[in-house]
């Protein structure tokens, strides 16, 4: 069990943070993946209609930021089309949908169906005023068009309701203290299910909410641990990892065929699959998954990809664990897919690789380049190494401010070409993979990406950023000053758990930002 004080989490050590503040809680719209999972669990529909919706806008590296999830006219039309199609398919067999029993479709069964259906769809019990509106719509439509059309109107209306499309939360007013309220058990059930499963609550969560058994951190943690064992939880964690590291972009990578003739679309897909398999393993099977992210000298790949790495071929076909040279490969930093992603089509890129470390692993925001600057990688020169060609950045005052944060880090990856293969020489010159880290708690020089990985695995700053990235994804918003205690609590618990990654996912459900909300939003 995660350690926590007798009082619900106030962030950090007891008495250290003072007044509880959960930060802002914007109303969150379902993402495309959440929509598809929800209609599957609600109706058994497997058509994934949201796959055709316009993509979400990315913000802070994720597609579920509430402030970026607006509803355009096009998306509104797509909601209507999806609701109509879902409703039509759902009511093809009214008796199976309503489950009225021997009494048939009478008024009592209709009311029971509407209450039950909306309870699941809205993730809370229906208000009497809401019930009357749906009963009126049902009765009017049935009188004119018959039973099936009446049910179709009810189901379609529910699926178009903001109560279905959005996750609105008001909190329990009886718990108000200094402008802060606890979520109701129903709202907590919904937060749990969408944070851990990306879908509506299951029956066990609904029953716990009905009994008001989600009102303490211990009750929430008990459910969270149960939910982590499900397939949906693994999918949600994988989605976080994919967005955090931009794994989908690896699948569409292309390289200059004159420089890298054997880099193909199939290879790109295999490289993305390698990263996903590795992340899945260190998350669910390594007790210190955080350190393994940066230090593991093994990965998971099929024989074809092992040949690309020049590694010993797996004995069997399919994806297998492959041990890699400890002086060449260490965790995600040296996986060929990520190295290829943060490179140019025809050459490596110290800038892109250094920027990746700064933004994704340290959560640092780099200033934009001057507006009139033409950004272009130095031309290839058969007489010069990449380090020599990029030396201008260190002496040009226009570039130096930003590039001193990126280039000295990115040059530490020079043992890897633009396809992610290991190399010890470039243009007949030995590779110099020395680098330097600035503005970090483990600042200092290093030699090569393997040593860099070891430094980052021991960095409190990197661990804090990892917790921040999870916080942004889980809460669908940026962190604020009010969240300092919640973030401190997450990092403390990750440390206390020895870097165990599922424990961090559980810890997210124990913070002020999860359990409470302000009565007035800024």
């Amino acid at each position: 069990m995660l350690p926590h004080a007798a009082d619900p989490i106030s962030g950090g050590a007891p008495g250290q943070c003072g007044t509880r503040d959960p930060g802002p809680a914007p109303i969150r719209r379902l993402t495309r993946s959440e929509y598809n999972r929800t209609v599957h669990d609600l109706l058994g529909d497997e058509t994934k209609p949201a796959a055709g919706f316009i993509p979400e806008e990315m913000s802070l590296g994720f597609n579920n930021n509430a402030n970026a999830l607006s509803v355009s006219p096009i998306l509104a039309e797509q909601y209507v089309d999806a609701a109509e199609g879902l409703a039509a398919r759902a009511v093809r067999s009214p008796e199976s949908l309503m489950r009225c029993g021997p009494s048939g479709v009478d008024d009592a069964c209709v009311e029971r169906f509407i209450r039950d259906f909306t309870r699941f769809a809205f993730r809370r019990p229906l208000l009497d005023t809401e019930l009357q509106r749906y009963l009126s719509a049902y009765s009017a439509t049935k009188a004119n068009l018959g039973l099936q059309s009446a049910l179709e109107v009810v189901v379609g209306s529910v699926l178009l309701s903001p109560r279905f499309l959005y996750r609105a939360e008001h909190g329990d007013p009886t718990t108000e203290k200094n402008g802060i309220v606890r979520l109701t058990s129903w709202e907590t059930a919904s937060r749990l299910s969408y944070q851990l499963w990306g879908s509506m609550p299951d029956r066990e969560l609904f029953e716990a909410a009905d009994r008001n058994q989600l009102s303490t951190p211990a009750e929430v943690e008990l459910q969270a641990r149960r939910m982590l064992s499900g397939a949906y939880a693994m999918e949600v964690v994988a989605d976080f990892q994919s967005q955090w590291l931009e794994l989908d972009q690896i699948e569409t990578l292309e390289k200059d065929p004159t420089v890298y003739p054997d880099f193909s679309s199939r290879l790109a897909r295999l490289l993305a699959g390698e990263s996903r398999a590795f992340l899945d393993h260190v998350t669910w099977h390594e007790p210190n998954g955080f350190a393994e992210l940066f230090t593991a000298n093994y990965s998971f790949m099929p024989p074809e990809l092992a040949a690309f790495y020049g590694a010993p071929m797996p004995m069997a076909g399919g994806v297998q664990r492959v041990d890699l040279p400890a002086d060449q490969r260490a965790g995600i930093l040296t996986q060929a897919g990520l190295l290829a992603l943060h490179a140019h089509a025809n050459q490596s890129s110290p800038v892109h690789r250094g920027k990746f470390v700064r933004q994704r692993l340290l959560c640092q925001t780099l200033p934009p380049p001057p507006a009139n600057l033409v950004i272009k990688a130095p031309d290839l020169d058969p007489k010069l190494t990449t380090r020599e060609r990029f030396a201008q950045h260190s002496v040009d005052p226009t570039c130096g401010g930003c590039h001193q944060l990126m280039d000295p880090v990115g040059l530490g990856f020079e043992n890897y070409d633009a396809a992610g293969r290991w190399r010890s020489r470039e243009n007949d010159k030995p590779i110099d993979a020395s680098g330097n880290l600035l503005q970090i708690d483990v600042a200092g020089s290093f030699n090569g990406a393997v040593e860099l990985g070891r430094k980052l695995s021991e960095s409190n700053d990197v661990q804090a950023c990892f917790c921040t990235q999870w916080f942004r994804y889980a809460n669908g918003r940026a962190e604020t000053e009010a969240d300092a205690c919640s973030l401190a609590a997450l990092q403390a618990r990750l440390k206390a758990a020895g870097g165990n990654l599922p424990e961090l996912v559980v810890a997210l459900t124990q913070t002020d930002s999860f359990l409470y909300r302000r009565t007035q939003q800024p």
Side-chain angles (χ1 to χ4, degrees), residues 21 40 112 155 173 213 239 241 249 253 285 308 366 417-418 433 437 513:
D21 191 340
H40 172 270
R112 186 170 60 251
V155 173
Q213 291 180 343
D239 182 60
Q241 294 165 340
Q249 294 187 31
L253 271 179
H285 302 288
F308 172 84
L366 298 170
D417 65 16
L437 275 170
S513 58

Side-chain angles (χ1 to χ4, degrees), residues 117-132:
F117 181 67
T118 53
R119 175 174 173 266
F120 292 127
F122 296 166
R123 286 83 69 179
R124 62 160 175 80
L126 195 65
L127 302 176
D128 288 340
T129 53
E130 296 170 326
L131 173 64
Q132 292 308 314

Side-chain angles (χ1 to χ4, degrees), residues 60-83:
L60 293 174
F62 300 107
N63 68 358
N64 64 352
N65 189 292
N67 292 327
L69 293 180
S70 59
V71 177
S72 66
I74 294 176
L75 182 58
E77 291 180 9
Q78 292 173 329
Y79 278 147
V80 172
D81 291 342

Side-chain angles (χ1 to χ4, degrees), residues 1 19 63 84 91 117 170 190 220 249 324 328 331 335 345 385 398 421 430 443 459 478 489 510 514:
M1 298 285 284
T19 305
N63 68 358
E84 290 176 348
V91 305
F117 181 67
H170 303 285
S190 185
V220 171
Q249 294 187 31
L324 301 168
Q328 296 182 11
Q335 288 184 353
T385 65
T398 305
R421 277 199 177 104
S459 166
Q510 301 292 291
F514 182 91

Side-chain angles (χ1 to χ4, degrees), residues 250-257 260-271 304 308 419 421:
I250 297 176
E251 294 185 347
T252 58
L253 271 179
E254 296 180 355
K255 296 295 176 181
D256 186 338
Y260 301 101
D262 58 346
F263 195 95
S264 64
S265 57
R266 173 174 170 77
L267 177 62
R269 290 192 297 272
L270 291 177
L271 291 174
E304 182 179 348
F308 172 84
R421 277 199 177 104

Side-chain angles (χ1 to χ4, degrees), residues 489-502:
L490 292 176
Q491 190 176 2
R493 292 189 171 199
L494 182 59
K495 278 184 175 295
N500 185 276
L501 299 182

Side-chain angles (χ1 to χ4, degrees), residues 158-474:
V158 169
L159 297 179
L160 284 174
S161 171
R163 299 168 186 84
F164 171 76
L165 296 171
Y166 288 85
R167 293 157 52 192
E169 300 157 346
H170 303 285
D172 181 354
T174 66
T175 66
E176 192 273 334
K177 184 178 181 181
N178 298 323
I180 306 296
V181 293
R182 273 295 307 264
L183 297 183
T184 68
S185 283
W186 289 95
E187 292 165 344
T188 301
S190 185
R191 273 199 184 183
L192 268 173
S193 64
Y194 280 99
Q195 185 160 305
L196 298 183
W197 283 347
S199 185
M200 59 182 278
D202 64 356
R203 288 190 178 274
E204 185 168 337
L205 263 183
F206 276 127
E207 289 170 0
D210 221 7
R211 296 190 298 267
N212 197 30
Q213 291 180 343
L214 291 170
S215 58
T216 69
E219 290 172 337
V220 171
E221 181 178 333
L222 186 65
Q223 287 291 343
R225 292 189 180 279
R226 174 185 72 87
M227 296 168 69
L228 272 185
S229 64
Y232 271 179
M234 298 183 69
E235 291 176 11
V236 167
V237 171
D239 182 60
F240 161 77
Q241 294 165 340
S242 182
Q243 294 195 55
W244 171 46
L245 298 175
E246 302 173 297
L247 300 185
D248 287 349
Q249 294 187 31
I250 297 176
E251 294 185 347
T252 58
L253 271 179
E254 296 180 355
K255 296 295 176 181
D256 186 338
T258 64
V259 183
Y260 301 101
D262 58 346
F263 195 95
S264 64
S265 57
R266 173 174 170 77
L267 177 62
R269 290 192 297 272
L270 291 177
L271 291 174
E274 176 205 355
S275 292
R276 291 193 174 97
F278 171 80
L279 290 163
D280 178 77
H281 172 82
V282 299
T283 298
W284 303 106
H285 302 288
E286 293 292 341
N288 188 359
F290 179 79
E292 289 287 291
L293 286 173
F294 303 101
T295 61
N297 65 324
Y298 58 83
S299 193
F300 296 83
M301 59 188 73
E304 182 179 348
L305 197 53
F308 172 84
Y309 273 99
M313 299 287 281
M315 294 296 293
V319 175
Q320 301 286 324
R321 173 172 169 151
V322 175
D323 292 329
L324 301 168
D327 61 341
Q328 296 182 11
R329 304 286 175 175
I332 58 173
L333 290 181
T334 60
Q335 288 184 353
L338 282 169
L339 291 163
L341 176 63
H342 299 291
H344 295 292
N346 63 350
Q347 60 180 292
S348 64
S349 175
V351 177
H352 288 168
R353 289 170 177 176
K355 184 179 179 182
F356 163 75
V357 172
R358 289 289 172 188
Q359 292 187 331
R360 297 289 172 166
L361 304 183
L362 289 171
C363 296
Q364 295 177 353
T365 302
L366 298 170
N372 60 347
L373 185 67
V374 177
I375 302 175
K376 182 178 181 296
D379 292 333
L380 292 173
D381 188 325
K383 298 180 180 179
L384 300 176
T385 65
T386 301
R387 182 180 289 271
E388 291 169 334
R389 290 187 296 108
F390 276 77
Q392 178 65 22
H393 285 171
S394 62
V395 298
D396 188 336
T398 305
C399 306
C402 285
H403 283 278
Q404 70 173 344
L405 296 176
M406 295 183 291
D407 293 18
V409 179
L411 287 167
F413 291 91
E414 273 306 293
N415 278 125
Y416 311 93
D417 65 16
R421 277 199 177 104
W422 173 265
R423 62 184 181 180
S424 57
R425 303 183 68 84
E426 182 184 16
N427 293 334
D428 275 338
K429 295 182 178 182
I431 293 289
D432 177 1
S434 61
N436 191 35
L437 275 170
L438 301 174
Q439 298 185 14
I440 182 176
D441 60 335
V442 292
S445 61
F446 64 91
N447 187 27
V450 172
E451 186 176 341
L452 174 63
R454 285 197 296 269
K455 290 175 75 74
L456 296 182
S457 72
E458 299 167 355
S459 166
N460 289 327
D461 290 347
V462 173
Q463 197 171 89
C465 176
F466 184 72
C467 293
T468 298
Q469 298 284 23
W470 256 113
F471 180 94
R472 293 170 177 174
Y473 178 81

